[in-house]
């Protein structure tokens, strides 16, 4: 983890993500933040800046599935301090963008882009000539941080610059001083690094599997 990722920035990103997804705002709990997602797969998540003593205490106390723990730390560091009932669910990458020079939005022939804002959530959707969803993405702001969320290009439409177009049109709405943050998969990281983004920390999720 670098000095770019602070407790305040992580909390702001979590708040913005909650807005983008329409879930409750994060609350302080167990030395980190709890987000009550309430889905069939996930009752809640606890997010920590580090795999520290508070993270270890939370892992010791929780013994039920559907309660995820997340830390901005490598998977090996996380697993080293938690009971064996926990397993790695995913490892993503926390990223920030230093340069705010967004590319002009350019789409291949036959594609159209629609950008809307509703309830503080920006939504960008690209459709093909038949009106079928080709790519989409969302974003929201909290505490001076803009969170890019669920940037997805459908498999049959990849490698055509649609993801870049989604990112650019969302970014053009932000003030120059806004800090941009996202959590990327390995595939997403490869794209974002070509757009001036850089990794500030791994983002490891662990869970207890159902018996």
């Amino acid at each position: 983890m670098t000095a770019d990722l602070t407790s305040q920035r992580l909390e702001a990103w979590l708040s913005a993500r909650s807005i983008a997804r329409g879930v409750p705002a994060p609350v302080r709990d167990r030395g980190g933040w709890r987000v009550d997602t309430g889905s069939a797969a996930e009752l809640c998540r606890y997010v920590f800046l580090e795999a520290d003593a508070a993270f270890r205490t939370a892992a010791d106390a929780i013994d039920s599935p559907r309660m995820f723990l997340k830390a901005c730390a490598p998977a090996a560091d996380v697993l080293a301090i938690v009971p064996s009932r926990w397993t790695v669910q995913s490892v993503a990458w926390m990223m920030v963008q230093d340069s705010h020079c967004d590319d002009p939005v350019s789409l291949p022939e036959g594609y159209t882009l629609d950008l809307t804002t509703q309830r503080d959530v920006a939504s960008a959707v690209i459709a093909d000539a038949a009106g079928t969803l080709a790519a989409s993405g969302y974003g929201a702001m909290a505490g001076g941080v803009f969170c890019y969320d669920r940037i997805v290009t459908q498999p049959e439409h990849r490698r055509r610059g649609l993801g870049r177009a989604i990112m650019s049109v969302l970014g053009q709405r932000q003030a120059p001083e806004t800090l941009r943050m996202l959590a990327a998969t390995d595939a997403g990281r490869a794209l974002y690094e070509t757009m001036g983004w850089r990794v500030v920390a791994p983002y490891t999720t662990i869970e207890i599997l159902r018996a």
Side-chain angles (χ1 to χ4, degrees), residues 134-158:
S136 59
Y138 302 85
M141 171 83 77
V145 170
F146 184 78
C147 168
Y148 291 81
D149 187 50
R150 293 168 289 163
I151 311 297
V152 177
T153 301
Q154 300 304 314
E156 63 272 26
H157 298 282
R158 289 174 183 167

Side-chain angles (χ1 to χ4, degrees), residues 32-115:
W33 297 271
R34 187 189 79 247
V35 180
D36 296 316
T37 46
S39 70
E42 179 188 72
L43 178 64
C44 68
R45 60 179 55 191
Y46 290 88
V47 182
F48 293 80
L49 183 64
E50 302 175 277
D52 56 10
F55 183 89
R56 181 175 62 245
T57 298
D60 288 341
I62 296 171
D63 59 7
S64 300
R66 298 177 61 218
M67 300 174 69
F68 292 1
L69 289 181
K70 298 172 177 277
C72 299
D77 292 356
V78 170
L79 291 178
I81 63 170
V82 301
S84 60
R85 62 180 176 270
W86 290 95
T87 187
V88 173
Q89 190 245 20
S90 65
V91 178
W93 305 97
M94 296 298 300
M95 303 186 74
V96 300
Q97 188 183 38
D98 294 317
S99 173
H100 290 185
C101 296
D102 298 292
D103 296 331
V105 177
S106 177
L107 296 176
E109 184 177 355
Y111 288 92
T112 57
L113 188 152
D114 183 48
L115 178 67

